[in-house]
Amino acid sequence: MAQVRMARRVLTECTAAMAFPILLISLLVFPVSSPVVAETDRSRARWCGADTTPLKPSDQSWAQWVSLRLRSRSMWRTDLPVLVTATLLSVLSLLVAFFGFIGAAVLVLSPVFWLLGIAAQVGPFTPESVGQTVLAVPAGVVLGAVTATVLTGTSFLRDLFLRSFSRSRDPDLLAKLEELRTSRASLTAAFEFERQRIERDLHDGAQQELVAVVMRLGMLEAAATAAASDQERVVRLAQQARDHAERALERLRETVRDIHPRELSDLGLVAAVRELAARSPLRVELTSTGDDSALSSPTATAVYFTVSEALTNIAKHAGAGIARVDLRCAATDVHVRVQDDGVGGARIDAGSGLAGLRERMRSVGGNLEILSPPGGGTQVSASAPSQPPW
């Protein structure tokens, strides 16, 4: 395995030597060439057995990735030094490979050249007899081995520079990691809040109604067996049991709808939001444009629950009788805005419903913002790409 890796390193250095003119041309199109050369060098190091991590996602095109990389400050601290180092070391590899391997080949083939009447010269050495040509063969083998060793060392030197540049603390990466940790914690808290809400809705709603149904059925059974003549009481208990059962069924439907509405799966986002507006105790003015057929299920679900939570908060806390929903769908993204003219003062607190919605929107590559000055109403705005980035 070690021999295979050494052979790979010698091969990549010879390739780098031949690619030196391309590297010179790439300097003319700097800085676009920096991410490409740096990512290629990471692939080289990984193929040679070094521990490196590719930065380009496999599902992202080179054009998109280079465009994003050029807007990152870390490109100047990592990719640019790698480009400069790769160019300088390619000069070294070119000189070593050219003179080393050609000299080694000439020395090894000295007896053949002597038979052809050619006195092959390698540096200051020129064979003057058959014996000298024979002695030149092992010298050529040694020179070839030394050349391969120098090229291998050059490859390790590339790895050393690549790791040193990559280990520099990248503020962009650190900020994204910190954002990921915060998002994960917020999302966990939001999920816990949602589980508690579902448990509370089932306990205080459908469960209580079903307990009442069981009690009424027991009373109905007792009344029916005690006095067959008391038909009026039996009928009344039966009606009460039916009413409780219907309310329990409606509570269960509401809870299931809050988990994932059937309209969203069957009819799409626009129809589901329209049904949501119709069921709201508020007067909702809904404006929708565009086609929602291009929206993925995670994106449509995130937007739906954003509208649902916003309307619920308006009904509970805003003190407003009317809400406005503006939904705009496109082939590439979706935007929604929910606003009212209530008391305002809403905030996204940790563990709250709005905090959970913001993390849900971020999980599909979107974002949620709230504008709610005291006494100035509340506006909740959310946007997301049609397809999540994962």
Side-chain angles (χ1 to χ4, degrees):
M1 190 63 181
Q3 291 80 0
V4 173
R5 290 182 177 178
M6 180 177 179
R8 288 182 175 181
R9 290 187 178 278
V10 173
L11 178 60
T12 53
E13 286 306 312
C14 291
T15 303
M18 292 184 291
F20 175 67
I22 300 177
L23 289 174
L24 287 180
I25 296 175
S26 69
L27 295 177
L28 301 178
V29 291
F30 167 83
V32 176
S33 59
S34 295
V36 178
V37 173
E39 188 68 9
T40 303
D41 199 42
R42 295 184 193 98
S43 300
R44 174 209 59 80
R46 190 164 58 256
W47 190 62
C48 292
D51 185 16
T52 59
T53 303
L55 298 183
K56 175 185 170 296
S58 58
D59 59 344
Q60 196 172 50
S61 67
W62 277 98
Q64 293 175 332
W65 180 74
V66 170
S67 177
L68 293 174
R69 191 67 179 164
L70 290 176
R71 294 196 292 268
S72 174
R73 289 176 296 176
S74 61
M75 191 274 293
W76 302 94
R77 293 187 298 272
T78 57
D79 296 350
L80 177 59
V82 171
L83 172 62
V84 174
T85 303
T87 304
L88 295 177
L89 291 179
S90 293
V91 176
L92 177 61
S93 298
L94 177 62
L95 296 175
V96 172
F98 181 80
F99 291 105
F101 284 138
I102 290 181
V106 170
L107 290 175
V108 171
L109 297 175
S110 288
V112 177
F113 291 146
W114 182 267
L115 292 176
L116 295 175
I118 302 174
Q121 180 180 359
V122 178
F125 173 73
T126 302
E128 297 178 353
S129 64
V130 177
Q132 289 183 351
T133 60
V134 173
L135 293 175
V137 174
V141 174
V142 172
L143 179 59
V146 171
T147 302
T149 303
V150 173
L151 290 177
T152 303
T154 305
S155 178
F156 279 110
L157 189 60
R158 287 181 188 270
D159 295 349
L160 178 62
F161 282 115
L162 182 64
R163 284 194 295 267
S164 64
F165 296 142
S166 300
R167 284 174 181 172
S168 60
R169 299 179 64 85
D170 186 347
D172 295 340
L173 182 59
L174 293 177
K176 290 180 180 179
L177 288 175
E178 183 62 28
E179 181 181 351
L180 180 60
R181 294 190 189 98
T182 304
S183 177
R184 184 174 60 181
S186 300
L187 199 58
T188 302
F191 283 159
E192 182 63 27
F193 176 81
E194 187 67 12
R195 284 193 293 268
Q196 292 176 0
R197 184 193 66 80
I198 294 174
E199 187 275 334
R200 184 173 59 253
D201 290 347
L202 290 175
H203 181 273
D204 298 340
Q207 180 175 314
Q208 296 296 331
E209 298 293 346
L210 289 174
V211 169
V213 169
V214 172
M215 294 178 60
R216 290 296 187 276
L217 289 176
M219 296 170 63
L220 178 62
E221 181 183 7
T225 56
S229 59
D230 195 0
Q231 295 182 358
E232 181 179 352
R233 184 166 180 263
V234 171
V235 172
R236 184 175 69 254
L237 291 173
Q239 291 176 342
Q240 292 176 351
R242 185 189 62 186
D243 292 340
H244 282 294
E246 289 178 350
R247 284 197 294 269
L249 181 59
E250 182 61 27
R251 292 287 185 89
L252 283 175
R253 285 173 177 170
E254 291 177 357
T255 301
V256 171
R257 186 183 295 115
D258 288 341
I259 296 175
H260 191 84
R262 188 181 184 88
E263 297 87 359
L264 186 60
S265 302
D266 296 344
L267 304 177
L269 177 62
V270 175
V273 172
R274 187 176 294 115
E275 175 67 20
L276 183 65
R279 290 189 287 104
S280 175
L282 301 165
R283 184 163 68 91
V284 180
E285 296 180 355
L286 173 62
T287 303
S288 62
T289 57
D291 183 13
D292 61 1
S293 60
L295 299 181
S296 65
S297 177
T299 299
T301 302
V303 174
Y304 174 86
F305 281 108
T306 297
V307 177
S308 176
E309 182 71 18
L311 292 178
T312 300
N313 288 341
I314 294 173
K316 288 183 177 180
H317 310 296
I322 184 173
R324 298 174 181 83
V325 179
D326 180 21
L327 177 63
R328 292 182 288 125
C329 302
T332 57
D333 53 15
V334 57
H335 299 264
V336 65
R337 183 175 67 249
V338 183
Q339 57 186 130
D340 64 77
D341 55 357
V343 297
R347 295 186 306 171
I348 302 180
D349 297 323
S352 66
L354 286 176
L357 290 176
R358 182 175 60 183
E359 298 309 322
R360 186 195 286 265
M361 294 300 301
R362 288 179 175 177
S363 69
V364 295
N367 195 20
L368 181 143
E369 297 179 351
I370 182 170
L371 179 63
S372 184
T378 300
Q379 175 177 296
V380 177
S381 301
S383 62
S386 299
Q387 300 294 328
W390 33 266

